[in-house]
Amino acid sequence: MIEVKNIKKIFGDKTIIEDVSAVMKAGQCNLIIGSSGSGKTVLMKCMVGLFEPNAGEVLYHGENFTAMTGKDKTEIRKEIGMLFQGSALFDSQTVEQNVMFPLNMFSKDSYKIKLNRVNEVLERVNLVGANKKFPSELSGGMKKGRTGKSHRP
Amino acid sequence: MTIFNDIGRYLLMIKGMFSRPENARMYWKEFIHQCTEIGFGSLGIVAIISVFIGAVSTVQTAYQLVSPLIPPSTIAQIVRDTVILEFAPTLVCIVLAGVAGSRIASELGNMRVSEQIDALEIMGINTKTYLILPKIIAALLMIPLLVAIAMALGIWGGRLAGVASGIIPGSVYDKGLLEFFVPFNVIFALIKAYVFAFIISSIPAFYGDYVKGGALEIGKASTKAVVVSCILILFADYILSALLLPTA
Ligand SMILES: Nc1ncnc2c1ncn2[C@@H]1O[C@H](COP(=O)(O)OP(=O)(O)O)[C@@H](O)[C@H]1O
Ligand SMILES: [Mg+2]
């Protein structure tokens, strides 16, 4: 469960979001709706700690994420998947290398296990056989399908 | 005062680089990748300018030394010392600020703007350590090496030009190279190379990492990175010369 309490974010002298609160329960699909430039991305980034909110707090499973030290934040972040507007793929790496990146970084599995995992993920987003393609060769929708990367075991 | 603000953020970036790598093998891979990019990526241009700088030094030194009292081998000494002391380290590093520096700034700027850096942070990776530190260490290893190559090629280029234009026979040039040689000059040049290498890598990394906006801002950041690096190189060159070279 994720709780957002009275979040406020200011850039310079512009207040982007003010006093936003929400409760997001597990297994539920939650939407954040707003016009372009209204601060949806800013709110998301405050929730995952890419921005430090000026006021308010974010709680994961009742634990105060905003007040955590860098190391504890990292642990929580490993549980988060975030999809970015611009896909955020490494454009110098193939699809396979992109998907495998977090596995290479955090798991000690053999290449074969990792490759199986990558193929599983690619299958789920209908990108079977695109392993050796570069991001520039994929269409926009295809890219987003797999930016969630292969993080969860 | 934006300049103090910038210096503060620069120091925070340097401090932020020192954290434990999540996975040593991935960091090593990134380091090797950067070594190839910075080292081999600039080898061609460094070779070309060094040979020509040496050649021009020989011709111009000969042009300015008109007295018959000065032995021709002096030309070789002067070319050797100017190439080692100034041209190889400073000029090569100015060029590298343009070649390697702009590459570093635009690579990081592009990763920032396309949210690749955010994606890495979300995975729990310290991007300062993973993306910036390998670039700086690679520069500290490869740039002094390029400067050493530039010294050798510059001196060789001077010999080539001297012989080709009939200014000085090869054997006289070689003899001149060994006269009044001060080994400290080479050490001094390498000290300069290390300082410049740090400037060339860390300043563009700073400007690249803090890009906000889009493609236009990446271009602006990389231009600014090159300009600031060049000014700092010349400034550091003066300070190091004043501090380390015994004069009078
Ligand atoms: N790092 C930043 N610095 C200053 N202003 C920002 C920054 N990031 C976003 N903004 C501003 O916050 C506002 C909301 O942006 P954003 O959350 O991206 O909108 P959207 O709801 O379309 O995702 C915009 O006006 C944008 O200019
Ligand atoms: Mg948005």
Side-chain angles (χ1 to χ4, degrees), chain A residues 45 48 50 74 77-78 80 82 84-86 88-91 101-102 104-106 149 151, chain B residues 22-23 25-27 29 33 110-111 114-125 130:
Chain A
K45 288 186 176 178
V48 297
L50 286 174
T74 303
R77 277 183 184 174
K78 287 181 188 170
I80 302 174
M82 184 165 168
F84 288 93
Q85 244 158 321
L89 293 167
F90 303 125
D91 25 45
F101 182 86
N104 285 337
M105 195 59 116
F106 294 106
K149 307 214 169 165
H151 213 42
Chain B
E22 291 80 18
N23 176 335
R25 218 175 53 86
M26 292 290 282
Y27 279 69
K29 239 174 91 182
H33 173 68
N110 178 43
M111 291 187 79
S114 61
E115 296 182 312
Q116 294 174 44
I117 294 185
D118 289 334
L120 285 169
E121 288 278 340
I122 296 228
M123 284 180 221
I125 293 165
Y130 180 60

Side-chain angles (χ1 to χ4, degrees), chain A residues 35-42 44-45 84-85, chain B residues 115:
Chain A
S35 56
S36 178
S38 58
K40 303 180 295 291
T41 305
V42 170
M44 284 302 295
K45 288 186 176 178
F84 288 93
Q85 244 158 321
Chain B
E115 296 182 312

Side-chain angles (χ1 to χ4, degrees), chain A residues 21-89:
Chain A
S21 303
V23 178
M24 303 173 192
K25 295 207 174 87
Q28 224 176 300
C29 185
N30 298 278
L31 295 181
I32 301 171
I33 306 174
S35 56
S36 178
S38 58
K40 303 180 295 291
T41 305
V42 170
L43 176 62
M44 284 302 295
K45 288 186 176 178
C46 284
M47 284 171 59
V48 297
L50 286 174
F51 286 149
E52 201 67 46
N54 296 81
E57 52 197 32
V58 178
L59 293 94
Y60 285 88
H61 311 302
E63 285 180 74
N64 190 338
F65 178 73
T66 319
M68 279 180 194
T69 59
K71 211 167 158 274
D72 293 333
K73 273 188 182 167
T74 303
E75 284 310 308
I76 298 261
R77 277 183 184 174
K78 287 181 188 170
E79 311 269 316
I80 302 174
M82 184 165 168
L83 186 60
F84 288 93
Q85 244 158 321
S87 320
L89 293 167

Side-chain angles (χ1 to χ4, degrees), chain B:
Chain B
M1 285 306 288
T2 65
I3 178 147
F4 292 116
N5 196 350
D6 280 357
I7 293 173
R9 285 189 309 175
Y10 173 78
L11 292 176
L12 281 178
M13 177 193 91
I14 301 288
K15 184 170 159 266
M17 287 186 331
F18 297 98
S19 78
R20 242 187 89 79
E22 291 80 18
N23 176 335
R25 218 175 53 86
M26 292 290 282
Y27 279 69
W28 178 251
K29 239 174 91 182
E30 177 65 14
F31 169 67
I32 297 294
H33 173 68
Q34 292 300 329
C35 283
T36 2
E37 288 274 338
I38 294 173
F40 291 99
S42 319
L43 190 58
I45 179 80
V46 167
I48 291 170
I49 54 172
S50 327
V51 171
F52 278 99
I53 283 169
V56 172
S57 303
T58 298
V59 176
Q60 292 201 352
T61 310
Y63 168 68
Q64 291 176 58
L65 282 184
V66 283
S67 163
L69 293 175
I70 300 172
S73 65
T74 310
I75 294 175
Q77 287 172 41
I78 292 176
V79 171
R80 177 197 66 204
D81 289 345
T82 43
V83 165
I84 290 178
L85 280 176
E86 195 57 30
F87 285 155
T90 311
L91 214 80
V92 162
C93 284
I94 295 266
V95 171
L96 286 176
V99 182
S102 69
R103 217 206 86 244
I104 291 175
S106 48
E107 183 185 324
L108 284 170
N110 178 43
M111 291 187 79
R112 169 63 74 194
V113 168
S114 61
E115 296 182 312
Q116 294 174 44
I117 294 185
D118 289 334
L120 285 169
E121 288 278 340
I122 296 228
M123 284 180 221
I125 293 165
N126 181 337
T127 53
K128 305 259 184 302
T129 316
Y130 180 60
L131 295 174
I132 301 180
L133 190 62
K135 289 184 173 58
I136 295 184
I137 298 180
L140 287 174
L141 182 74
M142 300 312 282
I143 291 178
L145 240 131
L146 286 172
V147 167
I149 293 172
M151 287 179 196
L153 286 178
I155 291 169
W156 179 71
R159 188 180 191 276
L160 223 57
V163 174
S165 56
I167 292 169
I168 174 173
S171 57
V172 179
Y173 187 93
D174 295 344
K175 188 172 133 279
L177 283 183
L178 300 173
E179 290 169 357
F180 305 104
F181 177 62
V182 185
F184 174 74
N185 286 353
V186 177
I187 296 176
F188 175 66
L190 289 177
I191 293 174
K192 293 212 296 193
Y194 278 106
V195 174
F196 298 165
F198 189 77
I199 293 173
I200 292 170
S201 50
S202 64
I203 297 289
F206 171 73
Y207 282 106
D209 195 36
Y210 282 97
V211 169
K212 281 200 185 86
L216 189 63
E217 280 77 12
I218 300 175
K220 278 188 196 157
S222 101
T223 307
K224 188 157 187 203
V226 173
V227 171
V228 172
S229 304
C230 286
I231 294 171
L232 285 180
I233 286 174
L234 294 172
F235 183 68
D237 189 22
Y238 172 71
I239 299 284
L240 287 173
S241 303
L243 285 179
L244 296 176
L245 286 186
T247 45

